[in-house]
Every structure is written in structure tokens, then in C-alpha cells.
């Protein structure tokens, strides 16, 4: 039920994803079956291919996340996290209220022991092909050095296991490449990353390095990451509006990747863009599958054990 | 002598600017006249149009700013600030070592009384035409709420007096538009800006709003501003590399604006891009003139009196 074009875009995305499922893989739709099932029939799709949990309650895009999660346990998001917690689903994805998705993840499946703060990551297209990961992009506006160090571990494990990048290059977003550059946070984080054996730290990078090959995983506080993400999105929208066609800018389209993985909680959780199209929903479902199949959560749990 | 293409680009820029000077306006070249004068003659330009202060010493692009300023008072940058302090020149601009320019400005002409920290600003093209100002973009990696409030005053005065924007709209860069969004710095700054009568505060904006009309003056800490500036520059370079031609992206070219004004010191100071072309140098000279003619520094001094 989440997203600006729900439930139709979500239903169409699920139908598209269904075609590529392997044996033993199931899509579970959580929401108002009174709305969902007629949409499936309209598409000539057999509703029996999906499983359903019916609820008519929804959390609105503008609702206060924590209040909504507490007051609406039977909303589609609330129910989704309940099912995730009970193990009835293996991954939960929604294009609904992002804050409620974050809060719901932490309240239900909980933060992985040893992790200070879960974070929100985003996939970044690389100029030479392939993708990178930037984190945090908004879950933690204020961060401490040890939190950023953990983001490096989380991002490195995601890049290695889900994006299949061997020995991912992890960099710290900063205002200069030299070791002694930065604000107090970056200055205090740099030596922790330089000394760590938890990932392959390649040093500081700058705003101009987001799309080049210096790093596969870019670590920053959630304020910086959020501002960068939105600035990059606005540029992508500009190239669309101006009618520029280009392979790299095409790969900028969030639809290709699906959602933003929430990293550091005890189950795969993905947050989709509010404007998620059927294509975006489909790819978010594939990304959910990749997070399940790679056993990323188990690997993160083991790393912080 | 500053910049990757100095002294040739600087000399050519000065020649180009000379053509548009009004009566009583003079360009002063500071550097190795042994290199400068042959370049002028090569161009068939009468060297008597300019004034000169000769020095052969330079501060390299990679030198430590504070050390270099202290140890090389007779470098072209050191001499420039000496002349600025003595009132022998009314404005000083260089495409050389940015850090040395910042340190030199504070050491020589000093911070305006009442100002906590001078800052570095950058001109931002607006989609609907015209330009905006973003500050700080790197002089202060860590800021406090009252520093950001002052950046709002500095930016508003620059926009009003140099960019000729009446009642400039000042916004705070943040991760959401709502009053209660932000990191600790933004959350503490917002109420100060909301209550101030020192400028026309229009609220929070996001990374995606850099080029739209929500704000004429965008206030942020120097870490965020530097990362945004470099990310935006990398996008501009991409559009060039990809061969996209567009009026808006053309206006992105720093060459059109010249340099980055240092705001909050007792004289006009401009820092040019390291890769400054003759066109950039020319426009930096015009920007210097605008800063002098608008009496910006006097207006800032009066505002903080």
C-alpha cells in the first residue's frame, strides 16, 4: 500500500517480478486485498500465485513515524514488520513512509547486537559501469566516529555479498584527500578506518568522487549523505528534463535498483522511493531476494558477534 | 602567479578585463614582472596600462597555508595581502593556494569585528536564470549555530549589494523541509534564523533545491558546502564530457563568475579556481570591482557594528 502509485504500481511490480521467481520463492502482498485482487484480475493474473495478509489500515506518507508505528500495529507496514519478526516472511520491502519503515525495523526485528545504529544505504551508479554503495543517507543525521566505522563494515559486507564485489574499496567522504583533512567527525574517523582490518579502507574521497572508481563503498554521516543523494537526484532529473540521453544517466534511475537497504537490523528490510514505479517495485523484490539468498544478515551478525 | 595556468592565463585575463575598465579603475599585477611583461608584449599590449609589484617568490599549490604565509611574506600572495592591508590596492584576487589566501586574508586585513568566522562562498546558477550564493563551502569544516546565523547575514548582504537581489531569500541547507528536521547543528540553527530580523529567512531546503528558486542564499557548514560544491562540479564536468550542450549547464561554468568571495574580512578578497582560464580571471577582476563599488565590506562592518 506504500508509495505514491500504490497499490497499482506495487501490484504490477509484483506481477513482473513473479515471472522471474525460482522454485520455492514466494511473493507475499500485505494490504487491502479488496483493492489488490481486482487489479490482479484486470491484468489477467492468477491471484493464487501470491500469498496475502489483508489489512485496510495504512500509514500515510506524512504521518509521524514513531507515533504511526505504535498506534497502527495493523497497518500494512505494522503488519509487515510483525510477519518479519515472526519469520513468516524473510524480507520486508515498502515504498511507504520511510521513517515508519526505519522505526518499524528497529522496533520489530531490532538492531543486530553490537551495532550502534542501523543505517540507510543507497546504490550509486559508477561511470565505468557497475555500482557502488553510499551510507548513511538519512537514518542518522548525527554520527560518531565508531558509528561511521561500523557503516564501513556494513557497507563492505553488502558490497561483497549482495553486489558481488570482492574486497570492496571503502572510502570516507571528506573535503580533501589528505589524511589530515576534514571536520572533527572525519578527522576522528580517519585513524579508526586506517587501522581497521574489518574492511579494505582506501582513504578519504571528495564530493567529486561519488561516481568514479576510487571507492565501492562510501561512508558518511546521514546528513551529508542525504544532501548528496538529493543533489545527485536533482541532477539526474535535470538531465531527464533537458532530454539528455546517456547510458550512465540511465543507470542513475533508482528504478533499476529498487530500494534502499536498511543495514544493521536482524532481517532484510528495503525502503522504496515514494514515487516507485512497477519497474522499481520489481527490482526491489529482486534486491530483497538477493539480500535473503546472500545471507547478508547472518554475515553481519557474525561480523559483530 | 597563482593557478595552474599562471602567469599566462592571469595576464590574458587582465588584458581582457582592461578593455572594460572605467575611468579611475586600475589593475595591479603582483608577481614576476620578468615573466609578466614579455607576455604583455607578445599580445601587443602596452604594459603601462597596468601597475606592478615585482616579486619572484611564490607559494606553491601544495604548500601548507599557514606556514607558507608566515615564511613567505614576499611571495605574490604575501605581498598582495601586504598591499591590501596598506590600502595600496582595494581588492585582492588570486587563483593560487586557496588555504594561503584564506589564512592571508585573516592574518592581514583581519576578521571584521563581531564576526566569529569568515567564510568562503560560491556562486550557484539558478535554473530559471540568475544566480544564488552558497556559503560556507570549505573555510569552516565545523560550525556552530551562531556562525551559521552570521553566514546568513554575510550572504544576504552579498546577494543584495553585489548580486543586486532585493530582499534575498536565505535558506538553511537541511535534510527535510519541516522545522523539526536536521542534525543537531541544523536543529539549533533553525530557531535562530526563524527569529532573526537580520535577513529574510525562508526556512529549510534540501540538496535537491540548490538550483531552484526557493533560496537566493544557501547557508550550510563548510563540510556540507564543500562536498555539495565538488559533487555539483563533477556533474557539470560530466555534462561537458558527454557533450551535452545547454544554457543552464553553460552557466555552471565557474569561468562566468570568476572567483569565490571570502566574506567577513575587512577588504574584498577573491579566491579563483586552480584551473582558472583567462575568462575566469577576467570575471574575477570584474567581481572584485563589484565588491569594491558596492561598498560591501563597509556594509558588513556596519551590520556587525
Amino acid at each position: 500500500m506504500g508509495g505514491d502509485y500504490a497499490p497499482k504500481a506495487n501490484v504490477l511490480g509484483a506481477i513482473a517480478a513473479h515471472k522471474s521467481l525460482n522454485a520455492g520463492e514466494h511473493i507475499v502482498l500485505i494490504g487491502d486485498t479488496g483493492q489488490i485482487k481486482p487489479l490482479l484480475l484486470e491484468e489477467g493474473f492468477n491471484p493464487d500465485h501470491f500469498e496475502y495478509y489483508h489489512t485496510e489500515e495504512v500509514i500515510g506518507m506524512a504521518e509521524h513515524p514513531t507515533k504511526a508505528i505504535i498506534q497502527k500495529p495493523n497497518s500494512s507496514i505494522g503488519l509487515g514488520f510483525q510477519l518479519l519478526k515472526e519469520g513468516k516472511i524473510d524480507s520486508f520491502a515498502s515504498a511507504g513512509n520511510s521513517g515508519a519503515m526505519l522505526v518499524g525495523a528497529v522496533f520489530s526485528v531490532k538492531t543486530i547486537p553490537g551495532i550502534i545504529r542501523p543505517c540507510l544505504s543507497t546504490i550509486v551508479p559508477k561511470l565505468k559501469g557497475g555500482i557502488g554503495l553510499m551510507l548513511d543517507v538519512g537514518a542518522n543525521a548525527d554520527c560518531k566516529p565508531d558509528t561511521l566505522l561500523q557503516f564501513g563494515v556494513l557497507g563492505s559486507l553488502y558490497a561483497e555479498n549482495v553486489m558481488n564485489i570482492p574486497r570492496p574499496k571503502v572510502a570516507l567522504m571528506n573535503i580533501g584527500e589528505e589524511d589530515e583533512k576534514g571536520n572533527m567527525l572525519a578527522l576522528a574517523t580517519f585513524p579508526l578506518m586506517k587501522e581497521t582490518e574489518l574492511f579494505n579502507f582506501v582513504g578519504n574521497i571528495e564530493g567529486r568522487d561519488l561516481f568514479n572508481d576510487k571507492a565501492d563503498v562510501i561512508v558518511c554521516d546521514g546528513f551529508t549523505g542525504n544532501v548528496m543523494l538529493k543533489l545527485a537526484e536533482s541532477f539526474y532529473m535535470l538531465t531527464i528534463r533537458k532530454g539528455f540521453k546517456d547510458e550512465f544517466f540511465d543507470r542513475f534511475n533508482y528504478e533499476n535498483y529498487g530500494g534502499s537497504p536498511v543495514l544493521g537490523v536482524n532481517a532484510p528490510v528495503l525502503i522504496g522511493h515514494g514515487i516507485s514505479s512497477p519497474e522499481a517495485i520489481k527490482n526491489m523484490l529482486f534486491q530483497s531476494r538477493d539480500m535473503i539468498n546472500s545471507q547478508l544478515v547472518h554475515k553481519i551478525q557474525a561480523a559483530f558477534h
Side-chain angles (χ1 to χ4, degrees), chain A residues 92-270:
Chain A
F92 180 44
S94 168
N97 186 311
S98 311
M101 284 297 291
L102 272 173
V103 171
V106 173
F107 280 19
S108 63
V109 295
K110 311 286 185 198
T111 302
I112 291 172
I115 288 184
I116 306 163
R117 299 290 304 261
C119 71
L120 194 60
S121 57
T122 196
I123 287 158
V124 176
K126 291 293 183 178
L127 274 163
K128 288 192 181 166
I131 51 175
L133 192 76
M134 177 162 73
L135 68 177
D136 179 26
V137 294
N140 306 282
D142 292 289
C143 291
K144 293 196 168 151
D146 48 359
T147 323
L148 292 191
L149 182 71
Q150 291 195 343
F151 293 169
V153 179
L154 293 172
S156 184
L157 286 169
Y158 186 93
E160 193 180 342
N161 292 287
V162 184
M163 291 157 59
N164 298 312
I165 300 172
R167 205 170 145 71
K169 291 178 282 187
V170 179
L172 179 64
M173 181 52 62
N174 208 330
I175 57 173
E177 290 182 345
E178 304 87 345
D179 292 15
E180 70 283 2
K181 282 287 171 101
N183 57 6
M184 287 187 289
L185 175 63
L187 286 168
T189 304
F190 186 88
L192 299 183
M193 289 192 170
K194 197 170 183 180
E195 284 160 28
T196 193
E197 290 177 4
L198 298 169
F199 50 79
N200 174 23
F201 182 55
V202 295
N204 290 323
I205 59 169
E206 300 178 81
R208 64 169 66 97
D209 299 317
L210 187 56
F211 309 114
N212 66 26
D213 276 1
K214 287 191 182 165
D216 301 305
V217 176
I218 295 164
V219 175
C220 56
D221 66 87
F223 188 92
T224 304
N226 186 275
V227 167
M228 289 184 78
L229 175 61
K230 286 173 180 166
L231 177 57
E233 276 182 351
S234 76
F235 254 109
Y236 166 67
M237 294 309 290
L238 259 178
T239 62
I240 298 286
R241 207 202 299 180
K242 301 277 187 188
F244 296 155
K245 283 299 292 176
D246 178 81
E247 180 275 337
F248 170 69
F249 286 108
D250 287 348
R251 288 193 293 118
F252 234 87
N253 191 339
Y254 76 97
E255 289 185 343
N256 297 331
Y257 311 110
S260 296
V262 178
L263 298 178
V265 292
N266 286 301
V269 173
L270 284 148

